[in-house]
Amino acid sequence: MSDMRTLGEFIVEKQHEYPNASGELSSLLSSIRLAAKIVNREINKAGLADITGAFGGENVQGEEQQKLDVYANEKFKAAMAARDQVCGVASEEEDEAVIFDSELSRNAKYVILMDPLDGSSNIDVNVSVGTIFSIYRRVSPIGQPATIDDFLQPGNQQVAAGYIIYGSSTMLVYTTGNGVHGFTYDPSIGAFCLSHESMTIPEDGKIYSINEGNYIRFPLGIKKYIKYCQENVPEEGRPYSSRYIGSLVSDFHRNMLKGGIFLYPSTAAYPSGKLRLLYECNPMAFIIEQAGGKASNGHQRIMDIKPTELHQRVPFFVGSTNMVEKTEAFLAEFPDED
Ligand code: AHM
Ligand code: MG
């Protein structure tokens, strides 16, 4: 047990990897860690909501209960606002970016973009959900309020990104551009403990994750890729497995550990794909690349897309390098005819 390290210790230990670091990023990651613990506590109680008062309804004291995604948004925002390392937050839960305007936060270097509770509809059925975050250095002058340009940066400018998975265990996984590290929450001591140092995704995998209910309206190349997975047997002799939880962080996390691909192409309901470039795709792309995998919109590296709006959606293919490249090859070989 002597080499057991907590997230807090690990962050301090790694700070020397950034010669110009002033400790602000470390402190920012600590704010995320704190909000994650608070949200984790509430999610764990979600099953009790029917007994103590449903979220969105009233509890036994007659107080109105917040829905958990709104609650998570508030907690993460409050954690960011409290420590003055960020000058603004953009969230999937908010129409506009939230600009912090205290004197200290005007001098802050970072902005954060987040999906505070992704896949929140899964909570009702006791399936894992997640928080996703992405941190950028601002491009507007320090000393002034943040501007929209601070948020509309391509993913290749990310300073850090990560996710928290509220699953059978709660884990926090993050990168600052020097590999990917995972920490499992130990509720008995209230700490995230290093459990997965230097995570890597296998180059190839046997799992494909896609909502096949949308098959009829998928691009031709994606239909062909799915057929390829169904008809071929990977080297190990067992067919590809289809695994789709419908909770991005959970599908991503499983594929990261086992090897696989997650696909969300354009569909009838979502002609540009469903997932959001800034809150979901860019952070996951940074993490997967740092773990040795790949993230693409089918034709282009996700992190090279220049965002034009906060809530922009993109088709998203992420996971084991060889599987993502195969998908790109099918899309190039079988373009749609219109
Ligand atoms: P949300 O941000 O509204 O929660 O939607 C995102 C979720 C992802 O977690 C998941 O991968 C996807 O939506 C599932 O979508 P679908 O139900 O269309 O398959
Ligand atoms: Mg989401």
Side-chain angles (χ1 to χ4, degrees), residues 27-281:
S27 180
L28 175 44
L29 291 168
S30 300
S31 310
I32 293 171
R33 178 187 57 179
L34 175 63
K37 288 182 193 177
I38 295 170
V39 170
N40 178 59
R41 184 189 64 202
E42 293 308 308
I43 288 176
N44 278 319
K45 289 192 295 195
L48 292 168
D50 286 343
I51 304 165
T52 58
F55 289 102
E58 286 187 348
N59 64 14
V60 280
Q61 284 87 33
E63 297 159 335
E64 199 175 312
Q65 295 245 305
Q66 277 181 316
K67 291 184 77 177
L68 274 171
D69 40 13
V70 177
Y71 179 86
N73 190 47
E74 293 304 324
K75 290 298 163 195
F76 275 94
K77 239 180 9 183
M80 296 306 126
R83 293 205 200 174
D84 299 310
Q85 289 97 26
V86 299
C87 48
V89 174
S91 163
E92 204 193 278
E93 287 288 323
E94 312 257 357
D95 291 341
E96 310 283 343
V98 179
I99 310 292
F100 296 147
D101 204 11
S102 73
E103 197 183 328
L104 281 171
S105 50
R106 277 201 294 272
N107 286 319
K109 282 197 287 223
Y110 298 106
V111 291
I112 182 159
L113 293 91
M114 63 177 184
D115 185 350
L117 205 56
D118 182 64
S120 51
S121 59
N122 286 294
I123 291 177
D124 294 346
V125 289
N126 211 346
V127 167
S128 307
V129 290
T131 295
I132 309 170
F133 63 89
S134 169
I135 299 169
Y136 293 81
R137 202 164 278 119
R138 69 188 299 176
V139 290
S140 62
I142 289 198
Q144 316 245 325
T147 69
I148 189 71
D149 293 339
D150 296 323
F151 299 96
L152 295 182
Q153 299 187 57
N156 56 30
Q157 295 301 306
Q158 286 173 104
V159 172
Y163 60 82
I164 297 121
I165 176 167
Y166 310 97
S168 43
S169 299
T170 293
M171 273 190 78
L172 188 151
V173 175
Y174 82 102
T175 182
T176 52
N178 276 309
V180 181
H181 309 292
F183 300 80
T184 303
Y185 187 60
D186 181 343
S188 67
I189 58 169
F192 284 98
C193 300
L194 181 61
S195 52
H196 297 66
E197 191 168 4
S198 302
M199 296 169 81
T200 53
I201 179 167
E203 242 188 323
D204 242 315
K206 293 184 293 175
I207 297 173
Y208 68 99
S209 315
I210 187 166
N211 186 344
E212 265 175 88
N214 296 316
Y215 183 88
I216 292 296
R217 302 297 290 272
F218 282 157
L220 182 59
I222 297 301
K223 291 181 180 167
K224 295 275 186 191
Y225 180 68
I226 292 173
K227 281 290 156 229
Y228 166 86
C229 289
Q230 291 169 345
E231 284 166 9
N232 285 274
V233 175
E235 270 174 39
E236 294 81 355
R238 194 169 172 252
Y240 285 93
S241 286
S242 168
R243 292 275 181 274
Y244 191 72
I245 299 170
S247 175
L248 172 65
V249 176
S250 316
D251 279 311
F252 180 95
H253 185 71
R254 182 207 49 240
N255 289 355
M256 177 119 121
L257 294 176
K258 296 193 164 187
I261 183 170
F262 173 91
L263 310 94
Y264 211 112
S266 58
T267 65
Y270 299 104
S272 308
K274 180 182 182 190
L275 300 178
R276 321 270 181 151
L277 176 60
L278 295 178
Y279 313 115
E280 290 157 334
C281 305

